[in-house]
Amino acid sequence: VKIKANDNFAVQIVTLGIRRGRPYTDPKNKMANKFMQNIVSRWQKVCKNILIWDYVWGGHRLMTFPDQLLNLHNIRIFAKLGVQGFFPQENHAVGRMVYNQGCPFRSWLLARAMWDPEECGDGEALETTFCNEYFGPAAGPFVKQYYKYLRKVHWESGFVGMTSGGTLTRAPFEAPEVTAECFKIMLKALEAAKKEQNRTHIRRVEFEMLPVKFMAASDYGRVKKFLPEKKSARELTAEIRSFIRGKSKDVKTWTQYKRVHRTLNMVEGTGDINAEASREYGLGR
């Protein structure tokens, strides 16, 4: 009350726990609207230097971030509000060697958006460019299709209940038929990369498939009837292990791999059980 910060002072505001299923000013995202109005706007009246620490990572369930372009909306919102600094905390879900869905593209897009959010447009053209350049001209269109399919499912569902810790309830984009469709699309991407015979592109597509395989294995009891390849949860996790072992050449990365190994052990043992719990924020599901 009746306080004013000096010009050499900054207030950093953190978005921890804020719903991320829609942009922060979307009418459907009521929690984020209150955050913007009751916290960000009020602090702007006290201090001219506002810094935002935004949790952009997807949590412990690897498919938890179905829309990479959503970050573009939020960065543009803060830029128009005149905030002085924006820090997006990117992170990974299982150890440090299996990334959240869309992680390479998300990191690249965040950097572009922080440089100039207006030059990014709606992000679609940048998404196409990244997929074709990073995964190769053969596999890139299929990876783009995978991103776009998940985004379409998410936006049509109207789902809001995501935080940096994961989904608070089972989300429509985590439905077994959606996971299976993602699996089918990424198999086409892998097949295209192999025909191109570019080892770098093959490995990048295989890396991008890890979240889909992990999701299929962890939800195997519901997903198995939709999968194009009749593989068991153990076979899927074995493929994940095989890929990661190829990246574990020194002691440091091997230690990181051990964390993934423990998680995969749990997945193999519970793949046929249609129940789950979340360790994020102590919320059971």
Side-chain angles (χ1 to χ4, degrees):
V1 178
K2 296 181 180 180
I3 188 173
K4 191 73 175 177
N6 292 334
D7 289 348
N8 64 344
F9 191 84
V11 170
Q12 180 170 274
I13 302 173
V14 182
T15 63
L16 183 63
I18 304 302
R19 304 295 182 263
R20 299 188 53 81
R22 284 291 187 275
Y24 290 150
T25 55
D26 191 299
K28 291 184 178 180
N29 196 343
K30 296 180 181 180
M31 182 182 187
N33 270 265
K34 289 181 180 179
F35 165 76
M36 298 298 292
Q37 295 168 10
N38 298 340
I39 298 179
V40 177
S41 294
R42 287 186 179 182
W43 272 112
Q44 283 188 303
K45 295 176 182 178
V46 173
C47 181
K48 75 172 187 178
N49 302 311
I50 300 296
L51 312 179
I52 299 294
W53 183 310
D54 196 20
Y55 285 88
V56 302
W57 64 294
H60 71 293
R61 289 184 68 84
L62 278 81
M63 298 292 281
T64 307
F65 214 107
D67 181 8
Q68 315 311 323
L69 304 185
L70 189 145
N71 287 299
L72 179 56
H73 293 291
N74 287 336
I75 290 176
R76 190 172 284 133
I77 288 167
F78 288 124
K80 288 181 177 179
L81 282 176
V83 300
Q84 299 300 305
F86 179 83
F87 172 72
Q89 181 173 335
E90 178 62 278
N91 209 329
H92 322 314
V94 183
R96 295 182 180 178
M97 300 181 69
V98 181
Y99 298 97
N100 296 117
Q101 189 272 337
C103 183
F105 171 59
R106 182 163 67 251
S107 299
W108 181 80
L109 181 67
L110 285 166
R112 292 290 298 263
M114 286 190 290
W115 180 261
D116 185 353
E118 294 307 320
E119 74 146 8
C120 296
D122 62 5
E124 286 275 359
L126 289 177
E127 184 179 62
T128 299
T129 297
F130 179 87
C131 289
N132 290 341
E133 295 288 338
Y134 187 78
F135 299 104
F142 291 106
V143 180
K144 162 81 177 184
Q145 181 185 349
Y146 159 55
Y147 289 166
K148 198 164 185 175
Y149 170 69
L150 264 184
R151 185 162 61 246
K152 180 175 181 290
V153 171
H154 172 61
W155 276 88
E156 288 180 353
S157 71
F159 186 78
V160 180
M162 293 157 45
T163 72
S164 57
T167 51
L168 302 179
T169 60
R170 189 175 289 279
F173 59 82
E174 295 176 320
E177 58 270 28
V178 175
T179 300
E181 182 62 25
C182 291
F183 203 106
K184 293 175 186 176
I185 296 171
M186 289 306 294
L187 281 177
K188 293 178 181 178
L190 183 58
E191 182 181 350
K194 288 180 177 178
K195 286 182 179 179
E196 186 191 15
Q197 297 183 336
N198 183 308
R199 183 168 177 78
T200 298
H201 293 160
I202 293 171
R203 295 290 286 177
R204 287 175 176 175
V205 172
E206 288 176 333
F207 211 154
E208 191 70 20
M209 287 186 71
L210 294 185
V212 185
K213 288 183 177 180
F214 189 92
M215 187 70 181
S218 62
D219 196 19
Y220 188 74
R222 300 194 313 148
V223 175
K224 59 183 177 182
K225 66 179 180 180
F226 299 104
L227 286 177
E229 294 184 349
K230 300 304 178 184
K231 294 181 178 180
S232 65
R234 189 172 296 275
E235 287 175 315
L236 290 170
T237 54
E239 290 180 1
I240 298 174
R241 290 184 203 278
S242 177
F243 180 85
I244 296 173
R245 283 195 182 103
K247 297 179 70 64
S248 305
K249 302 300 184 183
D250 55 56
V251 175
K252 184 177 180 180
T253 55
W254 181 253
T255 302
Q256 294 172 354
Y257 166 71
K258 285 171 67 177
R259 302 173 191 170
V260 186
H261 182 75
R262 288 194 294 267
T263 302
L264 292 174
N265 283 343
M266 290 187 288
V267 169
E268 288 177 354
T270 61
D272 287 321
I273 301 175
N274 289 325
E276 61 181 282
S278 172
R279 60 186 173 86
E280 306 291 338
Y281 313 129
L283 294 171
R285 294 189 292 181

